[in-house]
Amino acid sequence: MGKIRLTTSQALIKFLNQQYINVDGEEFPFVEGVFNVFGHGNVLGIGQALEQDAGHLKVIQGKNEQGMAHAAIAYSKQMLRQKIYAVTTSVGPGSANLAAAAGTALANNIPVLLLPGDTFATRQPDPVLQQVEHEYSLAVTTNDALKPVSRYWDRITRPEQLMSSLIRAFEVMTDPGKAGPATICIAQDVEGEAFDYDERFFEKRVHYLDRKEPVKRELEGAAKLIKDSKRPVILVGGGAKYSQARDILVSLSEKHHIPLVETQAGKATVESTFKNNLGGLGITGTLAANKAARQADLIIGIGTRYTDFATSSKTAFNFDNAKFLNINVSRLHAYKLDAFQVVADAKVTLEQLAPLLEGYVSEFGSTIFELKEEWTAERERLSNIQFKREGFEPEVKNHFSQEILNEYADQLNTELAQTTALITVNDVIAPDSTIITAAGSLPGDVQRIWNPTVPNTYNVEYGYSCMGYEVSGALGIKLAEPDKEVYSLVGDGSFLMLHSELITAIQYNYKINVVLFDNSGFGCINNLQMDHGGGSYFCEFRTHDNKIMNIDYAKVAEGYGAKTYKVHTVQELKAALEDAKKQSVSTLIDIKVLPKTMTDGYESWWNVGVAEVSQKESIQKANDSRKKMLQTAKQY
Ligand SMILES: Cc1ncc(C[n+]2csc(CCOP(=O)(O)OP(=O)(O)O)c2C)c(N)n1
Ligand SMILES: O=C1C[C@@H](O)[C@H](O)[C@@H](O)C1=O
Ligand SMILES: [Mg+2]
């Protein structure tokens, strides 16, 4: 048996180079590259190993650990979880910065390999710089904070532990039912320690992304449920997208006249132009999808985890009559809402169901067409909102007086409504461009009014809704699709929270386009507080003397080297978008939009905690109405 003497880090990098994935017979390397922010916890170990021999791995310097991990997540999501980046950080704050990103990967079931450095295994220099030092245990480090946000977590305190740990990590990341972040924390002294590794550990390994087939019982049960139903609705989740089930979804929907409604993760599995696609479901859904869901007597949930945004906190469906059929590779999700469970791959299951459904046609009749028409008209209205100095009724009503809206128009020097600006972007950019967003009011807006005409052009993270994913993730998408344009749709709040990977994109000449919607505040949270009877409290960006802030984001990005634009009208927006297409450098379009002009709910409700006692009658009312809604909601 041959041995090879390597440091733990050298062994790690050598192993990463040898991991392959096989998807439907096609084989390719699983690890594309490594993002890094070096510190004393990783520069001399993993840094040295990469410098010595990175193999085929692309090495990219990040600017913020959360940001670069977000880039890695968006990359993997865009690659349909078939390829990943690894992310190496230093100890202490460097690894703590991974926590929000790890949660993002976990909630969205996205594989990513996180490699934070850890404190010394020998404990000789304890407390090493950045060691938190607990009185009750020396074994607990900052990295323990990553346990609840990792699908797999391990700490390496001896070089030989690496072998079994890496094999487990790759097993988890390449299993569609378990995919998520694998975190391997390596003690910083151990990173440089040498060991005689068995050469066989470094042989090429192929991980098969096999499609789990449904058993006969599952297929027959599913077919019976569908045939017995009058108004089934297919809920297209992320699992349908990752399984690449577009064609069979379209064919089943057409043949049996079953409407499609989408989750955020499932959107753009099937293009919005498909006649039976009614768009997003739930609190951020369309009127068409929400009406269809309410009428449904069978919900066929495909690859969905049924977050409360999709279920509208368990009020989106008629729970008295509706049954659920869940097709999911994860048993956890298949078990939800008392569904009949098919624990299998979406595409294979639908293909095998098809012959069992011969002759079946739903009773939706012309309803699907009518619902789609009604929504198309509503979207058209939203595309052309004209601000007025008097008597203006924004989408989100009864929050700001006309006087306050006029103040915003004056301070931001704009009359642009967010919906109008967003649909303009949708109309002007190339249809094969990918958009990305995550938090604030934009995810709701895009789930409703963004029409993707090309599949897999919608990389929206709404499992964790983590501010900061928008700009960082755009870099990951560009790495996945270097020949296409990527547009980060980001609110001013999210931009301020984290946009450091814009600099990385500029540094390495990966062109991304940042489309910033500046309404000078945490707009959607302001809506939430005011919708529930509160005042406008610390969600607007106002100065100490109550002036609306007008930040020149174009100037900020210009300082980094981006080509930038300031936009206050539809005409300026169109011109900026057209010019941005011609650029080879990253761009930022700073669009000033009016608050309260994002879309509002369409016959949907969201359960949020409301004060049960308060001095405001409006809050008492909100509490009463929540209690009332909960009486009709499904309890679990
Ligand atoms: C990391 C993180 N912190 C806090 C939140 C809670 N949060 C959600 S949206 C939001 C404000 C977003 O503001 P902005 O990006 O300007 O979007 P807008 O709602 O104004 O469109 C906040 C604070 C979050 N989702 N993520
Ligand atoms: O609290 C939140 C409310 C949502 O409207 C928003 O989109 C999301 O980012 C969030 O965190
Ligand atoms: Mg904002």
Side-chain angles (χ1 to χ4, degrees), residues 44-109:
L44 305 180
I46 294 182
Q48 187 279 334
L50 284 168
E51 186 187 8
Q52 181 169 296
D53 187 6
H56 74 247
L57 303 176
K58 274 198 193 109
V59 183
I60 299 180
Q61 176 197 73
K63 298 294 166 292
N64 169 290
E65 292 84 357
Q66 181 184 332
M68 67 179 175
H70 279 318
I73 293 164
Y75 172 85
S76 173
K77 188 169 158 73
Q78 198 60 23
M79 297 301 289
L80 303 176
R81 311 192 298 188
Q82 297 172 4
K83 276 177 93 88
I84 63 160
Y85 265 81
V87 175
T88 166
T89 75
S90 191
V91 294
S95 60
N97 269 354
L98 284 178
T104 305
L106 189 63
N108 288 279
N109 301 307

Side-chain angles (χ1 to χ4, degrees), residues 66 70 100 104 418 438-443 445 461-462 464-470 489-497 516-527 539 541 553 593 595 598:
Q66 181 184 332
H70 279 318
T104 305
Q418 178 161 308
S441 63
L442 282 164
D445 278 4
E461 183 283 292
Y462 216 54
Y464 215 48
S465 188
C466 190
M467 294 168 80
Y469 176 79
E470 301 92 337
L489 310 180
V490 63
D492 49 326
S494 268
F495 184 81
L496 288 174
M497 199 168 278
L516 195 157
F517 292 76
D518 179 13
N519 55 15
S520 197
F522 294 147
C524 71
I525 307 299
N526 182 255
N527 293 348
C539 284
F541 294 168
Y553 294 103
V593 291
M598 58 285 277

Side-chain angles (χ1 to χ4, degrees), residues 212-215 218 326-331 334-335 341-345 349:
K212 186 176 176 306
E213 303 212 5
V215 299
E218 291 176 320
N326 289 347
I327 302 170
N328 207 305
V329 281
S330 153
R331 281 170 70 89
Y335 266 63
Q341 306 131 20
V342 177
V343 182
D345 174 76
T349 303

